[in-house]
Amino acid sequence: MSIMNAKASSGGEEEALGMRSDTLRDSVRSGEGKRRQMILVAYLIATLELTFLFMQMGVMPYLAKSLGLDLVGFGYLQTTFGVLQLVGGPIFGRFADQFGTRAALILSCASGSAFFLLMSISTSIPLLFLSRLPAVFMHGLPGAQKVITDLTTPSQRADALGKLGLCFGIGIIIGSALGGVLSTKFGIFFPTYVGLVGNLINTTIAMVWMPLQAKPKSDHRVTEHSNVFSIREILRLMKFPGVMEVFIVKAFAGLPAGLFLIMFSIISMDFFGLEAVESGYLMSYFGVLQMVVQGLVVGKLTNHCTERTLLRLSVFVFAGVGLGMSLMRTVWHYCIIAVPLVFAFSTLGTITDSILTKAVPSSDTGTMLGICASVQPLTRTVGPTIGGVLYKQFGVSSFGYLQLIVNIGLFVYLLKSKIPLREMKSQ
């Protein structure tokens, strides 16, 4: 009898253990499903926001002209947008660290709604300038990056961040085409109405499909007792090992090429002799390259190469791009150079974002991404002035020579320096 009881007891324990194991597996599957859902929602929000952003970029010159704004005034308008994004990037990142990515994405989408609402009623130049104000918090891409850094392991991060390039490429292609078609068929203000409705839908998606995320307990000390607008807290991140060095490479490696791209609308007319339609086709080509490279190539490279190797590779390719740009004479030359150019931009952006978010505590990844996101607005802010001087005084080849010199210097620096790259994020 005692033997039978022992067997029954043993069988009951095995059954209970099996049930617990099944429950644990179901819990893991459920958690993995929610994680994937949040990442997909982040991709969707970023794609929609970028689509509407590129849509308004295509329409804005014509809207400004219809209101009587000259080229100098339009330059001020673009600079205003760049400065607001430059200032808002780190602040938005701090907001995401303190209040969570859901609140940050809602803030970004709601700001986009306000942006397009003000554009839709811009019947004067002051109102048009006022419509730029919400851009200070329009950072859907850094918000999506924050979601990914929170939900992926360090080894998965570069691949997941690279796939955001698909969102960027889709935004360029669809947004640029949509703005032209809608404004031609339905009037100059119609794209602003579409952007307003689209951003309201995006806000709803963020509120409904993006669940609240809890910060790690070890992060509460940082997030609860610090100010969102604290410059000291933002600059503190630059003191972590390797952060300043990698950020300098991120900011300067692509700067000369960035200046060229900012001046491209003028260069395409004066140097290449392209019409507006042909320039649009070239932008679509650039968008397709962006999708292919970041969506397919960068992800595979991160699985086979170390981040240090890819960082050096991107700088080396940038130097080669500089040499090609210095010899460029026709639009077909540019189409060939665009391939390594997009590869270098995509690889550098993805790898440096991955390295920098691993180099700081998990409570500060949002702020770090906000600082990273400020690089492009900085280029857009100083670009028209510096790029205009380079083009007017020295010609198109000057962008290539500057690109070559800067990146040879950075490549030598990366070979000689021992920048500490941390494989795991501080906990």
Side-chain angles (χ1 to χ4, degrees):
M1 181 68 71
S2 61
I3 293 173
M4 291 177 64
N5 288 338
K7 286 182 178 180
S9 176
S10 177
E13 288 177 1
E14 289 178 2
E15 185 178 350
L17 186 62
M19 290 176 65
R20 282 198 296 271
S21 179
D22 290 341
T23 303
L24 183 60
R25 270 197 301 270
D26 291 341
S27 177
V28 170
R29 285 174 188 159
S30 176
E32 183 68 17
K34 287 181 180 179
R35 186 184 69 85
R36 288 178 180 173
Q37 176 190 317
M38 290 176 68
I39 291 176
L40 287 174
V41 170
Y43 286 145
L44 175 61
I45 290 172
T47 301
L48 290 174
E49 182 159 316
L50 287 166
T51 298
F52 299 132
L53 188 62
F54 281 107
M55 181 181 70
Q56 71 85 28
M57 283 182 180
V59 172
M60 183 52 62
Y62 303 98
L63 177 58
K65 187 177 180 180
S66 70
L67 295 176
L69 196 65
D70 60 14
L71 287 175
V72 175
F74 183 69
Y76 291 145
L77 186 70
Q78 295 294 81
T79 300
T80 301
F81 184 83
V83 169
L84 287 168
Q85 289 245 296
L86 174 64
V87 172
I91 296 173
F92 178 85
R94 292 282 300 156
F95 182 89
D97 284 333
Q98 293 199 16
F99 300 101
T101 50
R102 180 176 182 268
L105 286 172
I106 291 172
L107 173 64
S108 177
C109 298
S111 298
S113 302
F115 177 84
F116 280 100
L117 175 62
L118 289 171
M119 269 188 69
S120 68
I121 59 172
S122 293
T123 54
S124 65
I125 293 174
L127 273 176
L128 191 61
F129 273 87
L130 183 64
S131 72
R132 307 292 93 183
L133 193 58
V136 72
F137 292 124
M138 286 171 56
H139 296 281
L141 190 60
Q145 290 174 324
K146 170 66 174 168
V147 173
I148 290 167
T149 54
D150 282 350
L151 297 177
T152 55
T153 62
S155 61
Q156 299 171 326
R157 186 167 305 158
D159 184 21
L161 288 172
K163 287 184 172 63
L164 277 171
L166 286 169
C167 306
F168 198 86
I170 291 170
I172 291 178
I173 296 169
I174 298 179
S176 301
L178 197 61
V181 171
L182 292 178
S183 61
T184 302
K185 289 194 172 184
F186 303 104
I188 196 68
F189 281 102
F190 192 79
T192 65
Y193 305 143
V194 174
L196 172 59
V197 174
N199 273 275
L200 288 172
I201 292 172
N202 230 6
T203 307
T204 305
I205 291 172
M207 294 176 68
V208 174
W209 286 354
M210 186 64 66
L212 288 168
Q213 280 181 264
K215 303 283 287 184
K217 289 184 178 179
S218 60
D219 298 338
H220 285 178
R221 181 185 62 81
V222 177
T223 58
E224 288 177 1
H225 300 289
S226 54
N227 189 343
V228 172
F229 300 97
S230 174
I231 302 297
R232 183 186 300 174
E233 286 295 316
I234 293 171
L235 295 178
R236 173 180 62 86
L237 301 186
M238 290 297 173
K239 298 178 182 178
F240 282 89
V243 169
M244 180 62 78
E245 294 90 336
V246 174
F247 186 78
I248 287 173
V249 174
K250 180 182 183 69
F252 287 98
L255 179 61
L259 297 177
F260 169 82
L261 292 174
I262 285 173
M263 297 298 298
F264 186 74
S265 59
I266 294 174
I267 291 171
S268 64
M269 290 187 294
D270 292 349
F271 187 76
F272 293 134
L274 299 181
E275 298 293 334
V277 175
E278 295 168 325
S279 294
Y281 291 151
L282 208 55
M283 284 297 294
S284 296
Y285 168 68
F286 206 81
V288 171
L289 284 179
Q290 180 91 15
M291 289 175 62
V292 172
V293 171
Q294 270 203 268
L296 302 176
V297 179
V298 175
K300 292 189 180 298
L301 283 176
T302 57
N303 294 329
H304 295 91
C305 304
T306 64
E307 290 178 335
R308 188 186 300 275
T309 300
L310 291 176
L311 182 62
R312 290 172 176 171
L313 176 63
S314 62
V315 172
F316 181 77
V317 173
F318 261 134
V321 167
L323 179 61
M325 287 174 66
S326 66
L327 302 173
M328 180 174 61
R329 294 294 178 268
T330 69
V331 68
W332 297 109
H333 292 162
Y334 174 71
C335 288
I336 296 170
I337 293 169
V339 177
L341 176 63
V342 170
F343 171 81
F345 264 124
S346 301
T347 306
L348 182 75
T350 300
I351 294 304
T352 51
D353 286 350
S354 178
I355 292 171
L356 291 170
T357 53
K358 293 174 188 176
V360 300
S362 57
S363 59
D364 292 313
T365 53
T367 307
M368 192 71 254
L369 287 168
I371 294 172
C372 291
S374 66
V375 172
Q376 284 189 358
L378 176 62
T379 306
R380 286 199 300 267
T381 301
V382 302
T385 303
I386 300 176
V389 170
L390 283 174
Y391 180 56
K392 187 176 180 180
Q393 299 294 328
F394 307 103
V396 170
S397 60
S398 63
F399 295 100
Y401 289 125
L402 184 60
Q403 180 77 21
L404 179 61
I405 293 168
V406 168
N407 282 276
I408 286 177
L410 290 174
F411 186 70
V412 172
Y413 170 71
L414 287 175
L415 287 178
K416 290 188 173 182
S417 66
K418 300 293 182 182
I419 300 174
L421 302 184
R422 301 173 62 177
E423 290 301 321
M424 296 298 292
K425 186 164 43 176
S426 300
Q427 297 296 326

Tab-separated table of all heavy atoms in Angstrom, residues 355-407:
chain	number	residue	atom	x	y	z
A	355	ILE	N	25.793	50.910	-30.790
A	355	ILE	CA	26.928	51.031	-29.869
A	355	ILE	C	26.610	51.999	-28.732
A	355	ILE	O	26.861	51.712	-27.555
A	355	ILE	CB	28.183	51.506	-30.624
A	355	ILE	CG1	28.685	50.424	-31.583
A	355	ILE	CG2	29.299	51.888	-29.648
A	355	ILE	CD1	29.787	50.902	-32.519
A	356	LEU	N	26.058	53.152	-29.079
A	356	LEU	CA	25.828	54.198	-28.086
A	356	LEU	C	24.739	53.821	-27.088
A	356	LEU	O	24.828	54.177	-25.905
A	356	LEU	CB	25.475	55.515	-28.788
A	356	LEU	CG	26.634	56.155	-29.560
A	356	LEU	CD1	26.147	57.322	-30.413
A	356	LEU	CD2	27.728	56.627	-28.616
A	357	THR	N	23.699	53.102	-27.520
A	357	THR	CA	22.661	52.688	-26.569
A	357	THR	C	23.152	51.584	-25.634
A	357	THR	O	22.627	51.429	-24.532
A	357	THR	CB	21.392	52.205	-27.300
A	357	THR	OG1	21.729	51.193	-28.249
A	357	THR	CG2	20.701	53.358	-28.007
A	358	LYS	N	24.150	50.820	-26.067
A	358	LYS	CA	24.743	49.808	-25.184
A	358	LYS	C	25.728	50.421	-24.200
A	358	LYS	O	26.013	49.843	-23.159
A	358	LYS	CB	25.472	48.747	-26.013
A	358	LYS	CG	24.583	47.883	-26.882
A	358	LYS	CD	25.434	46.977	-27.751
A	358	LYS	CE	24.586	46.236	-28.779
A	358	LYS	NZ	25.418	45.435	-29.694
A	359	ALA	N	26.251	51.599	-24.539
A	359	ALA	CA	27.292	52.220	-23.724
A	359	ALA	C	26.742	52.971	-22.520
A	359	ALA	O	27.497	53.344	-21.630
A	359	ALA	CB	28.125	53.173	-24.582
A	360	VAL	N	25.420	53.202	-22.486
A	360	VAL	CA	24.816	53.945	-21.381
A	360	VAL	C	23.838	53.046	-20.638
A	360	VAL	O	23.404	52.015	-21.159
A	360	VAL	CB	24.084	55.206	-21.897
A	360	VAL	CG1	25.056	56.136	-22.611
A	360	VAL	CG2	22.932	54.843	-22.823
A	361	PRO	N	23.475	53.397	-19.399
A	361	PRO	CA	22.483	52.605	-18.658
A	361	PRO	C	21.154	52.543	-19.400
A	361	PRO	O	20.826	53.436	-20.186
A	361	PRO	CB	22.346	53.367	-17.332
A	361	PRO	CG	23.607	54.137	-17.196
A	361	PRO	CD	24.021	54.496	-18.583
A	362	SER	N	20.385	51.484	-19.158
A	362	SER	CA	19.106	51.301	-19.857
A	362	SER	C	18.128	52.430	-19.572
A	362	SER	O	17.226	52.676	-20.364
A	362	SER	CB	18.482	49.955	-19.468
A	362	SER	OG	18.303	49.880	-18.074
A	363	SER	N	18.313	53.134	-18.454
A	363	SER	CA	17.422	54.252	-18.133
A	363	SER	C	17.687	55.476	-18.999
A	363	SER	O	16.898	56.419	-19.003
A	363	SER	CB	17.593	54.650	-16.662
A	363	SER	OG	18.943	55.016	-16.406
A	364	ASP	N	18.804	55.469	-19.725
A	364	ASP	CA	19.192	56.640	-20.513
A	364	ASP	C	19.202	56.385	-22.019
A	364	ASP	O	19.691	57.215	-22.779
A	364	ASP	CB	20.595	57.105	-20.091
A	364	ASP	CG	20.617	57.667	-18.678
A	364	ASP	OD1	19.734	58.490	-18.366
A	364	ASP	OD2	21.494	57.283	-17.888
A	365	THR	N	18.672	55.238	-22.462
A	365	THR	CA	18.724	54.941	-23.902
A	365	THR	C	17.892	55.930	-24.720
A	365	THR	O	18.269	56.291	-25.833
A	365	THR	CB	18.240	53.509	-24.191
A	365	THR	OG1	16.950	53.311	-23.600
A	365	THR	CG2	19.215	52.487	-23.631
A	366	GLY	N	16.776	56.371	-24.179
A	366	GLY	CA	15.943	57.340	-24.890
A	366	GLY	C	16.672	58.661	-25.104
A	366	GLY	O	16.643	59.231	-26.198
A	367	THR	N	17.336	59.152	-24.054
A	367	THR	CA	18.103	60.389	-24.172
A	367	THR	C	19.231	60.236	-25.176
A	367	THR	O	19.491	61.125	-25.996
A	367	THR	CB	18.686	60.784	-22.799
A	367	THR	OG1	17.631	60.818	-21.837
A	367	THR	CG2	19.347	62.145	-22.868
A	368	MET	N	19.901	59.074	-25.145
A	368	MET	CA	21.005	58.821	-26.075
A	368	MET	C	20.502	58.808	-27.508
A	368	MET	O	21.129	59.374	-28.401
A	368	MET	CB	21.659	57.487	-25.730
A	368	MET	CG	22.989	57.233	-26.423
A	368	MET	SD	24.310	58.278	-25.779
A	368	MET	CE	24.516	59.473	-27.084
A	369	LEU	N	19.362	58.176	-27.741
A	369	LEU	CA	18.779	58.149	-29.084
A	369	LEU	C	18.351	59.552	-29.523
A	369	LEU	O	18.442	59.901	-30.704
A	369	LEU	CB	17.588	57.191	-29.128
A	369	LEU	CG	17.942	55.699	-29.085
A	369	LEU	CD1	16.696	54.862	-28.829
A	369	LEU	CD2	18.607	55.271	-30.391
A	370	GLY	N	17.870	60.348	-28.558
A	370	GLY	CA	17.504	61.731	-28.873
A	370	GLY	C	18.714	62.551	-29.289
A	370	GLY	O	18.642	63.361	-30.222
A	371	ILE	N	19.849	62.323	-28.603
A	371	ILE	CA	21.091	63.008	-28.971
A	371	ILE	C	21.534	62.561	-30.363
A	371	ILE	O	21.951	63.374	-31.187
A	371	ILE	CB	22.192	62.726	-27.928
A	371	ILE	CG1	21.807	63.346	-26.579
A	371	ILE	CG2	23.531	63.284	-28.393
A	371	ILE	CD1	22.728	62.964	-25.440
A	372	CYS	N	21.442	61.256	-30.624
A	372	CYS	CA	21.798	60.736	-31.956
A	372	CYS	C	20.914	61.347	-33.039
A	372	CYS	O	21.383	61.675	-34.136
A	372	CYS	CB	21.660	59.210	-31.979
A	372	CYS	SG	22.878	58.334	-30.973
A	373	ALA	N	19.636	61.496	-32.723
A	373	ALA	CA	18.682	62.041	-33.701
A	373	ALA	C	18.924	63.509	-33.998
A	373	ALA	O	18.426	64.033	-35.000
A	373	ALA	CB	17.248	61.846	-33.193
A	374	SER	N	19.692	64.191	-33.138
A	374	SER	CA	19.952	65.613	-33.350
A	374	SER	C	21.027	65.859	-34.400
A	374	SER	O	21.230	66.998	-34.826
A	374	SER	CB	20.369	66.275	-32.026
A	374	SER	OG	21.627	65.771	-31.587
A	375	VAL	N	21.721	64.800	-34.854
A	375	VAL	CA	22.791	64.968	-35.843
A	375	VAL	C	22.224	65.464	-37.173
A	375	VAL	O	22.758	66.410	-37.777
A	375	VAL	CB	23.572	63.643	-36.047
A	375	VAL	CG1	24.546	63.762	-37.214
A	375	VAL	CG2	24.325	63.270	-34.773
A	376	GLN	N	21.146	64.847	-37.652
A	376	GLN	CA	20.554	65.269	-38.927
A	376	GLN	C	19.993	66.691	-38.874
A	376	GLN	O	20.245	67.485	-39.792
A	376	GLN	CB	19.477	64.280	-39.364
A	376	GLN	CG	20.048	62.984	-39.930
A	376	GLN	CD	18.980	62.112	-40.559
A	376	GLN	OE1	17.798	62.434	-40.558
A	376	GLN	NE2	19.404	60.970	-41.097
A	377	PRO	N	19.226	67.067	-37.826
A	377	PRO	CA	18.771	68.458	-37.746
A	377	PRO	C	19.924	69.457	-37.694
A	377	PRO	O	19.811	70.559	-38.241
A	377	PRO	CB	17.956	68.490	-36.446
A	377	PRO	CG	17.490	67.096	-36.265
A	377	PRO	CD	18.589	66.228	-36.789
A	378	LEU	N	21.033	69.071	-37.040
A	378	LEU	CA	22.195	69.962	-37.006
A	378	LEU	C	22.732	70.184	-38.416
A	378	LEU	O	23.051	71.316	-38.806
A	378	LEU	CB	23.288	69.354	-36.113
A	378	LEU	CG	24.612	70.132	-36.048
A	378	LEU	CD1	24.390	71.523	-35.466
A	378	LEU	CD2	25.643	69.367	-35.222
A	379	THR	N	22.807	69.103	-39.194
A	379	THR	CA	23.263	69.216	-40.581
A	379	THR	C	22.303	70.073	-41.395
A	379	THR	O	22.733	70.900	-42.211
A	379	THR	CB	23.384	67.822	-41.222
A	379	THR	OG1	24.214	66.987	-40.413
A	379	THR	CG2	23.986	67.911	-42.611
A	380	ARG	N	20.990	69.880	-41.179
A	380	ARG	CA	19.999	70.684	-41.908
A	380	ARG	C	20.071	72.159	-41.513
A	380	ARG	O	19.739	73.028	-42.309
A	380	ARG	CB	18.580	70.155	-41.646
A	380	ARG	CG	18.264	68.868	-42.371
A	380	ARG	CD	16.769	68.647	-42.466
A	380	ARG	NE	16.129	68.561	-41.175
A	380	ARG	CZ	15.909	67.432	-40.513
A	380	ARG	NH1	16.314	66.280	-41.036
A	380	ARG	NH2	15.303	67.433	-39.349
A	381	THR	N	20.499	72.435	-40.277
A	381	THR	CA	20.551	73.813	-39.791
A	381	THR	C	21.734	74.569	-40.390
A	381	THR	O	21.598	75.686	-40.881
A	381	THR	CB	20.640	73.831	-38.255
A	381	THR	OG1	19.498	73.150	-37.710
A	381	THR	CG2	20.651	75.252	-37.729
A	382	VAL	N	22.914	73.948	-40.333
A	382	VAL	CA	24.121	74.633	-40.824
A	382	VAL	C	24.365	74.350	-42.309
A	382	VAL	O	25.149	75.044	-42.962
A	382	VAL	CB	25.368	74.211	-40.012
A	382	VAL	CG1	25.165	74.509	-38.545
A	382	VAL	CG2	25.694	72.725	-40.208
A	383	GLY	N	23.679	73.322	-42.830
A	383	GLY	CA	23.933	72.873	-44.194
A	383	GLY	C	23.736	73.914	-45.276
A	383	GLY	O	24.612	74.087	-46.132
A	384	PRO	N	22.580	74.622	-45.307
A	384	PRO	CA	22.365	75.587	-46.385
A	384	PRO	C	23.445	76.656	-46.460
A	384	PRO	O	23.858	77.049	-47.561
A	384	PRO	CB	20.996	76.200	-46.022
A	384	PRO	CG	20.306	75.124	-45.240
A	384	PRO	CD	21.386	74.455	-44.448
A	385	THR	N	23.948	77.114	-45.312
A	385	THR	CA	24.980	78.158	-45.307
A	385	THR	C	26.329	77.610	-45.756
A	385	THR	O	26.949	78.123	-46.696
A	385	THR	CB	25.115	78.771	-43.898
A	385	THR	OG1	23.852	79.289	-43.488
A	385	THR	CG2	26.136	79.890	-43.902
A	386	ILE	N	26.791	76.549	-45.083
A	386	ILE	CA	28.108	75.980	-45.409
A	386	ILE	C	28.091	75.367	-46.806
A	386	ILE	O	29.025	75.567	-47.601
A	386	ILE	CB	28.516	74.918	-44.363
A	386	ILE	CG1	28.597	75.551	-42.975
A	386	ILE	CG2	29.848	74.283	-44.727
A	386	ILE	CD1	28.891	74.567	-41.864
A	387	GLY	N	27.032	74.602	-47.104
A	387	GLY	CA	26.927	73.972	-48.410
A	387	GLY	C	26.865	74.997	-49.535
A	387	GLY	O	27.464	74.800	-50.602
A	388	GLY	N	26.150	76.095	-49.310
A	388	GLY	CA	26.051	77.146	-50.321
A	388	GLY	C	27.399	77.774	-50.619
A	388	GLY	O	27.743	78.023	-51.780
A	389	VAL	N	28.199	78.025	-49.572
A	389	VAL	CA	29.530	78.607	-49.751
A	389	VAL	C	30.437	77.640	-50.514
A	389	VAL	O	31.145	78.033	-51.451
A	389	VAL	CB	30.159	78.964	-48.383
A	389	VAL	CG1	31.628	79.342	-48.553
A	389	VAL	CG2	29.384	80.098	-47.734
A	390	LEU	N	30.420	76.355	-50.114
A	390	LEU	CA	31.258	75.356	-50.790
A	390	LEU	C	30.901	75.256	-52.280
A	390	LEU	O	31.794	75.236	-53.141
A	390	LEU	CB	31.086	73.983	-50.127
A	390	LEU	CG	31.801	73.752	-48.795
A	390	LEU	CD1	31.407	72.402	-48.209
A	390	LEU	CD2	33.310	73.810	-48.978
A	391	TYR	N	29.605	75.181	-52.565
A	391	TYR	CA	29.165	75.012	-53.953
A	391	TYR	C	29.478	76.245	-54.799
A	391	TYR	O	29.972	76.139	-55.929
A	391	TYR	CB	27.663	74.713	-53.975
A	391	TYR	CG	27.099	74.515	-55.360
A	391	TYR	CD1	27.626	73.557	-56.216
A	391	TYR	CD2	26.050	75.307	-55.821
A	391	TYR	CE1	27.119	73.377	-57.495
A	391	TYR	CE2	25.529	75.131	-57.094
A	391	TYR	CZ	26.072	74.169	-57.928
A	391	TYR	OH	25.579	73.997	-59.190
A	392	LYS	N	29.231	77.422	-54.232
A	392	LYS	CA	29.430	78.666	-54.985
A	392	LYS	C	30.909	78.962	-55.215
A	392	LYS	O	31.317	79.395	-56.302
A	392	LYS	CB	28.769	79.832	-54.244
A	392	LYS	CG	28.776	81.137	-55.020
A	392	LYS	CD	28.009	82.218	-54.271
A	392	LYS	CE	28.011	83.533	-55.064
A	392	LYS	NZ	27.277	84.594	-54.341
A	393	GLN	N	31.722	78.724	-54.200
A	393	GLN	CA	33.132	79.098	-54.286
A	393	GLN	C	34.012	78.027	-54.921
A	393	GLN	O	34.980	78.347	-55.625
A	393	GLN	CB	33.663	79.427	-52.870
A	393	GLN	CG	32.976	80.582	-52.187
A	393	GLN	CD	33.217	81.912	-52.880
A	393	GLN	OE1	34.272	82.134	-53.473
A	393	GLN	NE2	32.229	82.806	-52.822
A	394	PHE	N	33.701	76.745	-54.651
A	394	PHE	CA	34.622	75.675	-55.058
A	394	PHE	C	33.990	74.610	-55.953
A	394	PHE	O	34.705	73.726	-56.431
A	394	PHE	CB	35.224	75.004	-53.815
A	394	PHE	CG	35.861	75.970	-52.861
A	394	PHE	CD1	35.218	76.342	-51.692
A	394	PHE	CD2	37.100	76.531	-53.147
A	394	PHE	CE1	35.803	77.239	-50.804
A	394	PHE	CE2	37.695	77.428	-52.273
A	394	PHE	CZ	37.047	77.791	-51.103
A	395	GLY	N	32.675	74.626	-56.132
A	395	GLY	CA	32.032	73.664	-57.012
A	395	GLY	C	31.666	72.355	-56.335
A	395	GLY	O	31.954	72.138	-55.154
A	396	VAL	N	31.028	71.458	-57.102
A	396	VAL	CA	30.538	70.184	-56.562
A	396	VAL	C	31.680	69.301	-56.043
A	396	VAL	O	31.543	68.603	-55.044
A	396	VAL	CB	29.742	69.424	-57.647
A	396	VAL	CG1	29.416	68.003	-57.209
A	396	VAL	CG2	28.441	70.164	-57.953
A	397	SER	N	32.827	69.334	-56.723
A	397	SER	CA	33.939	68.465	-56.317
A	397	SER	C	34.428	68.750	-54.906
A	397	SER	O	35.019	67.879	-54.263
A	397	SER	CB	35.097	68.605	-57.307
A	397	SER	OG	35.565	69.942	-57.343
A	398	SER	N	34.186	69.974	-54.399
A	398	SER	CA	34.648	70.326	-53.048
A	398	SER	C	34.001	69.445	-51.981
A	398	SER	O	34.636	69.114	-50.975
A	398	SER	CB	34.351	71.796	-52.746
A	398	SER	OG	32.953	72.054	-52.760
A	399	PHE	N	32.730	69.044	-52.203
A	399	PHE	CA	32.068	68.144	-51.250
A	399	PHE	C	32.811	66.805	-51.199
A	399	PHE	O	32.971	66.211	-50.127
A	399	PHE	CB	30.610	67.918	-51.661
A	399	PHE	CG	29.754	69.154	-51.604
A	399	PHE	CD1	29.458	69.863	-52.755
A	399	PHE	CD2	29.240	69.606	-50.401
A	399	PHE	CE1	28.670	70.994	-52.717
A	399	PHE	CE2	28.451	70.744	-50.340
A	399	PHE	CZ	28.173	71.453	-51.508
A	400	GLY	N	33.238	66.320	-52.363
A	400	GLY	CA	33.947	65.051	-52.417
A	400	GLY	C	35.302	65.111	-51.740
A	400	GLY	O	35.668	64.215	-50.965
A	401	TYR	N	36.083	66.167	-52.015
A	401	TYR	CA	37.400	66.303	-51.398
A	401	TYR	C	37.288	66.399	-49.874
A	401	TYR	O	38.076	65.790	-49.144
A	401	TYR	CB	38.116	67.540	-51.950
A	401	TYR	CG	38.575	67.389	-53.379
A	401	TYR	CD1	38.189	68.307	-54.363
A	401	TYR	CD2	39.398	66.334	-53.757
A	401	TYR	CE1	38.604	68.165	-55.683
A	401	TYR	CE2	39.821	66.186	-55.085
A	401	TYR	CZ	39.415	67.095	-56.033
A	401	TYR	OH	39.824	66.953	-57.334
A	402	LEU	N	36.307	67.181	-49.407
A	402	LEU	CA	36.109	67.311	-47.961
A	402	LEU	C	35.711	65.973	-47.344
A	402	LEU	O	36.212	65.592	-46.275
A	402	LEU	CB	35.035	68.372	-47.682
A	402	LEU	CG	34.772	68.710	-46.212
A	402	LEU	CD1	36.022	69.243	-45.533
A	402	LEU	CD2	33.631	69.726	-46.094
A	403	GLN	N	34.826	65.252	-48.028
A	403	GLN	CA	34.400	63.932	-47.567
A	403	GLN	C	35.595	62.976	-47.467
A	403	GLN	O	35.743	62.237	-46.493
A	403	GLN	CB	33.364	63.362	-48.540
A	403	GLN	CG	32.814	61.993	-48.191
A	403	GLN	CD	31.792	62.045	-47.080
A	403	GLN	OE1	31.202	63.085	-46.819
A	403	GLN	NE2	31.589	60.940	-46.405
A	404	LEU	N	36.453	62.994	-48.461
A	404	LEU	CA	37.636	62.130	-48.497
A	404	LEU	C	38.598	62.460	-47.362
A	404	LEU	O	39.043	61.562	-46.626
A	404	LEU	CB	38.341	62.283	-49.850
A	404	LEU	CG	39.631	61.475	-50.062
A	404	LEU	CD1	39.371	59.990	-49.963
A	404	LEU	CD2	40.257	61.823	-51.408
A	405	ILE	N	38.922	63.726	-47.182
A	405	ILE	CA	39.888	64.140	-46.158
A	405	ILE	C	39.384	63.818	-44.755
A	405	ILE	O	40.112	63.254	-43.922
A	405	ILE	CB	40.184	65.654	-46.290
A	405	ILE	CG1	40.916	65.931	-47.604
A	405	ILE	CG2	41.002	66.157	-45.116
A	405	ILE	CD1	40.998	67.400	-47.961
A	406	VAL	N	38.114	64.170	-44.478
A	406	VAL	CA	37.540	63.932	-43.141
A	406	VAL	C	37.547	62.450	-42.796
A	406	VAL	O	37.944	62.049	-41.694
A	406	VAL	CB	36.097	64.499	-43.071
A	406	VAL	CG1	35.393	64.003	-41.807
A	406	VAL	CG2	36.119	66.018	-43.089
A	407	ASN	N	37.160	61.609	-43.740
A	407	ASN	CA	37.025	60.185	-43.433
A	407	ASN	C	38.354	59.438	-43.436
A	407	ASN	O	38.481	58.426	-42.730
A	407	ASN	CB	36.025	59.539	-44.395
A	407	ASN	CG	34.593	59.833	-44.013
A	407	ASN	OD1	34.011	59.160	-43.162
A	407	ASN	ND2	34.026	60.877	-44.605
